[in-house]
Amino acid sequence: MLRLSEVDVSYGMVGALRHVSMDVREGEIVALLGANGAGKTTTLRAISGVVRPASGSIEFEGAPIDGLSPERIVSLGIVQAPEGRQVFPELSAKENLLIGTYSRRDRARIPQDFARVYEHFPVLKERETQPAGTLSGGEQQMLAIGRALMASPKVLLLDEPSLGLAPMVTRQIFQIIKALNAEGTTILLVEQNARLALAASDRAYILETGSVVLSGPSDELLESEEVKRSYLGGGARGRGA
């Protein structure tokens, strides 16, 4: 469904991604793991069209997208819930959700998608008139995912959905992620909690300094001694590059 082939991305003279190749198949949850600065968020930005690859290609459903605008990529069905939530604090929860519909032409289905979002995130229904900036961190994360769902994604890109959240809220978010996937949404998940991401995903790729160094079925990577040693022993959380 989504394919990156030998993708290089640079910020000025600094190489952020080097020959990154990966596939996301329809109906999967694919995890993208790595330490801070490994290139995880840059990979999502390249897919979303926010940064342009210096070389290589990105294809969605067999067609190239690496030269398209972010708006066009969203309209094709690739939608990102960004790291740090990035809600509009002065707007209500419902207005934030409506922003997710801006590129849609199938306006008649929007009430149906509101119902879907409120089914998964009932607290957003309770808070729909409340300014987004007054919501808790967990509620803002739910709002960011809900806003992405309102764009009717075929592929949902999630960037650090557990960042800064309490363990109980994190577990709730991941239960919802798995439920969305069970409904048919394909998901590419960037997450620093490697154990949680591998437990939730079908396959995973591990980045180090902008390159893929390991990949395979998530259950096999969970048992890998190298993965256990490098990624499953705990450690600090923070921003991905």
Side-chain angles (χ1 to χ4, degrees):
M1 196 172 192
L2 180 65
R3 171 167 290 173
L4 283 71
S5 301
E6 297 290 314
V7 170
D8 289 357
V9 173
S10 297
Y11 297 115
M13 298 296 292
V14 179
L17 297 181
R18 300 176 183 86
H19 310 303
V20 169
S21 296
M22 58 184 297
D23 293 301
V24 180
R25 302 165 190 153
E26 186 173 3
E28 286 187 315
I29 299 178
V30 174
L32 184 58
L33 309 175
N36 294 341
K40 304 183 301 297
T41 294
T42 295
T43 301
L44 295 192
R45 288 174 176 163
I47 294 168
S48 298
V50 176
V51 298
R52 295 290 176 88
S55 61
S57 64
I58 304 174
E59 295 182 352
F60 178 58
E61 296 183 322
I65 62 169
D66 43 273
L68 301 181
S69 68
E71 294 84 357
R72 177 59 180 152
I73 290 170
V74 169
S75 72
L76 291 174
I78 301 175
V79 184
Q80 182 172 345
E83 181 185 11
R85 276 82 82 172
Q86 298 186 27
V87 300
F88 295 89
E90 302 299 326
L91 300 182
S92 70
K94 186 172 184 179
E95 288 168 335
N96 270 269
L97 293 174
L98 278 170
I99 288 172
T101 71
Y102 81 99
S103 66
R104 291 182 57 171
R105 297 182 181 179
D106 56 339
R107 313 302 293 181
R109 288 189 59 244
I110 289 175
Q112 177 182 334
D113 286 327
F114 261 113
R116 181 191 184 200
V117 168
Y118 288 151
E119 179 183 355
H120 286 294
F121 305 109
V123 69
L124 297 183
K125 177 64 175 176
E126 299 170 11
R127 307 277 197 270
E128 66 178 1
T129 62
Q130 190 171 324
T134 66
L135 301 180
S136 70
E139 290 166 349
Q140 289 187 18
Q141 184 61 69
M142 294 175 189
L143 183 59
I145 296 174
R147 182 179 59 194
L149 291 176
M150 292 301 295
S152 191
K154 296 179 181 177
V155 176
L156 179 60
L157 310 179
L158 297 178
D159 195 355
E160 301 284 6
S162 75
L163 184 66
L165 302 184
M168 183 175 66
V169 179
T170 294
R171 287 193 295 271
Q172 183 181 3
I173 292 290
F174 268 76
Q175 287 170 357
I176 293 168
I177 289 170
K178 288 189 281 188
L180 294 172
N181 178 251
E183 293 174 356
T185 302
T186 302
I187 295 172
L188 176 57
L189 170 67
V190 162
E191 177 57 54
Q192 284 235 325
N193 189 326
R195 190 180 302 278
L196 195 59
L198 289 172
S201 60
D202 300 292
R203 294 186 300 112
Y205 293 84
I206 296 178
L207 289 176
E208 287 184 7
T209 59
S211 299
V212 175
V213 294
L214 282 174
S215 65
S218 296
D219 55 355
E220 293 182 9
L221 291 176
L222 266 173
E223 298 303 318
S224 162
E225 290 302 320
E226 182 176 355
V227 172
K228 288 179 180 179
R229 183 173 59 253
S230 301
Y231 299 101
L232 302 182
R237 302 288 309 281
R239 291 181 62 87

